[in-house]
Amino acid sequence: MAQNEKLAALSAEGVSVWLDDLSRDRIRSGNLAELIATRSVVGVTTNPTIFQGALSKGHAYDEQVKELAARGADVESAIRTITTDDVRAACDVFAEVFEATNGVDGRVSIEVDPRMAFDTDKTVAQAIELWKIVDRPNLFIKIPATEEGLPAITKVIAEGISVNVTLIFSVARYRSVMGAYLDGLRNARIAGHDLARIHSVASFFVSRVDTEIDKRLEAIGTPQALALRGRAGIANARLAYAEYQDVFDGGKHTSTFAHLSSAGGNRQRPLWASTGVKNPEYSDTMYITELVAPNTVNTLPEKTLEAYADHGEQRGDAVSGTAEQAQAVFDELSAVGVDLDDVFAVLEREGVEKFEKSWEELLSATATELQTTGNN
């Protein structure tokens, strides 16, 4: 099977293509392996919404639910078993990619319980627990970038555990995320961990920024405001990339990382998340084409992946050197009356709430399945 030329060219520009989806059917059918072979997919991300969707469709989990019910498993342990089994199996599918990329890619992410997003100690404890249960070196533990999540990131990295920091919306919070990662690496080195084995990505959400800001621009309704629709998400990500370069890629603050790099420390790569286009008026591949840059990850829903494979445009690096223009977009947004601090606060709160809702739905559906199966 040959790789799709458009996605192969995207990868050649330094963009790691990850699938934003996982299910047992996808693993068992060979579809995940096929995406590796034909769509340049080198990683997978999951979240509570993805797991909730996977468990609510079809019958792939029926047998395991029946076994768990027979053992008298409670709903929390059942979900933990089901989800970690899927992630472990996906890690095995990506094992060759992991080896071929020296641990950079071939990664599969699993998120801590979103109900712990504002509890540092519980987040750390569950991150360590999930790392031990899955027991695969190509695992990423997803930790939300809440204020309480930042010290958790540092503590988990210090344990030698690789972390995918999720739910990042603002550049200011992203700076704190990078600081938390570097602090974690310092502590990991003191603890005697091999820094070369610790990897991290910082998941910067894109389309949700446009969705929230576009709503506010339309409420303002002036020609100047309406002209800014669909521009904030990409500008925000481009500003984030400039911060990444400043810390990890030769910028004025790279000296801090250079000391850790000499001891084997890895860069924390920016990851573009929420890249499925929500507004049908926009190009369905805009969050790929406009965010091509070296040492980045783009997590794609399958629909967006196939759209790019079909008609994606390859224009090379679209991010490096764009910070000034991106800042101009944000200056214009402020000038027309968009409260950006409020935007990012709303997005973080709603992001956690959405994952909590999906988790609660997953708990409820699993509880019903366990009870139904146990009574049969």
Side-chain angles (χ1 to χ4, degrees):
M1 292 183 284
Q3 293 286 2
N4 174 270
E5 291 183 2
K6 294 182 183 296
L7 288 163
L10 180 66
S11 298
E13 290 289 342
V15 179
S16 293
V17 178
W18 290 6
L19 180 70
D20 194 23
D21 189 54
L22 183 64
S23 68
R24 192 160 296 180
D25 278 337
R26 193 183 288 282
I27 296 168
R28 287 178 172 176
S29 68
N31 172 262
L32 189 58
E34 183 179 346
L35 292 175
I36 296 171
T38 66
R39 293 294 186 265
S40 297
V41 170
V42 292
V44 158
T45 55
T46 66
N47 59 46
T49 302
I50 287 172
F51 276 130
Q52 191 276 330
L55 269 71
S56 66
K57 298 173 185 175
H59 303 283
Y61 299 92
D62 289 357
E63 183 178 343
Q64 185 171 27
V65 170
K66 184 176 181 179
E67 292 174 357
L68 290 166
R71 298 207 311 254
D74 61 61
V75 64
E76 298 276 356
S77 62
I79 290 174
R80 185 166 55 249
T81 298
I82 291 167
T83 57
T84 54
D85 281 0
D86 275 6
V87 167
R88 187 184 305 107
C91 283
D92 291 343
V93 173
F94 280 101
E96 290 185 9
V97 175
F98 178 72
E99 293 294 331
T101 61
N102 197 29
V104 173
D105 284 312
R107 295 279 175 172
V108 183
S109 298
I110 187 170
E111 189 155 349
V112 295
D113 185 333
R115 296 171 300 176
M116 301 175 182
F118 302 108
D119 189 315
T120 301
D121 292 340
K122 287 183 178 179
T123 294
V124 172
Q126 190 175 77
I128 294 171
E129 179 186 33
L130 289 171
W131 182 260
K132 290 178 179 177
I133 291 172
V134 176
D135 193 26
R136 293 294 185 272
N138 51 333
L139 178 69
F140 266 140
I141 303 295
K142 291 180 81 171
I143 297 175
T146 57
E147 289 186 7
E148 295 82 0
L150 295 172
I153 293 161
T154 296
K155 291 179 180 180
V156 173
I157 291 289
E159 294 288 334
I161 296 171
S162 294
V163 172
N164 176 344
V165 184
T166 188
L167 289 177
I168 307 172
F169 296 99
S170 73
V171 172
R173 183 56 55 85
Y174 178 46
R175 292 192 196 104
S176 298
V177 166
M178 290 188 288
Y181 172 63
L182 293 174
D183 288 344
L185 284 185
R186 289 191 197 94
N187 294 340
R189 185 182 184 188
I190 292 170
H193 292 290
D194 181 358
L195 298 192
R197 293 179 176 273
I198 303 171
H199 287 258
S200 182
V201 292
S203 296
F204 208 84
F205 281 53
V206 186
S207 67
R208 293 190 193 182
V209 173
D210 273 334
T211 299
E212 179 64 27
I213 289 181
D214 281 4
K215 179 174 65 176
R216 298 183 185 215
L217 291 170
E218 287 164 4
I220 294 167
T222 64
Q224 295 89 340
L226 296 177
L228 290 168
R229 287 178 298 180
R231 298 177 62 191
I234 290 168
N236 200 36
R238 287 173 172 172
L239 288 171
Y241 190 76
E243 294 293 328
Y244 156 78
Q245 289 181 306
D246 181 50
V247 173
F248 292 106
D249 197 16
K252 62 182 179 181
H253 293 110
T254 304
S255 58
T256 302
F257 171 65
H259 179 67
L260 293 164
S261 178
S262 65
N266 296 292
R267 307 174 185 212
Q268 184 187 52
R269 292 187 295 166
L271 180 153
W272 311 133
S274 182
T275 53
V277 176
K278 308 293 193 295
N279 190 330
E281 295 179 9
Y282 301 155
S283 164
D284 57 358
T285 59
M286 64 184 280
Y287 298 129
I288 308 172
T289 301
E290 300 298 332
L291 292 177
V292 173
N295 296 309
T296 58
V297 180
N298 200 313
T299 60
L300 306 176
E302 189 170 22
K303 181 180 178 181
T304 307
L305 178 75
E306 291 303 326
Y308 194 86
D310 178 66
H311 53 265
E313 296 180 47
Q314 178 56 262
R315 299 202 294 265
D317 187 344
V319 180
S320 299
T322 63
E324 186 175 340
Q325 300 97 301
Q327 185 58 53
V329 171
F330 270 64
D331 292 343
E332 291 180 60
L333 288 167
S334 296
V336 300
V338 176
D339 184 341
L340 294 167
D341 288 339
D342 185 65
V343 165
F344 296 133
V346 166
L347 286 170
E348 179 179 293
R349 184 179 68 251
E350 289 184 348
V352 173
E353 287 174 354
K354 287 176 182 177
F355 284 164
E356 284 181 341
K357 181 180 178 183
S358 294
W359 197 256
E360 294 292 349
E361 290 173 353
L362 180 58
L363 287 168
S364 177
T366 305
T368 299
E369 287 294 320
L370 286 169
Q371 183 176 11
T372 302
T373 303
N375 292 334
N376 289 338

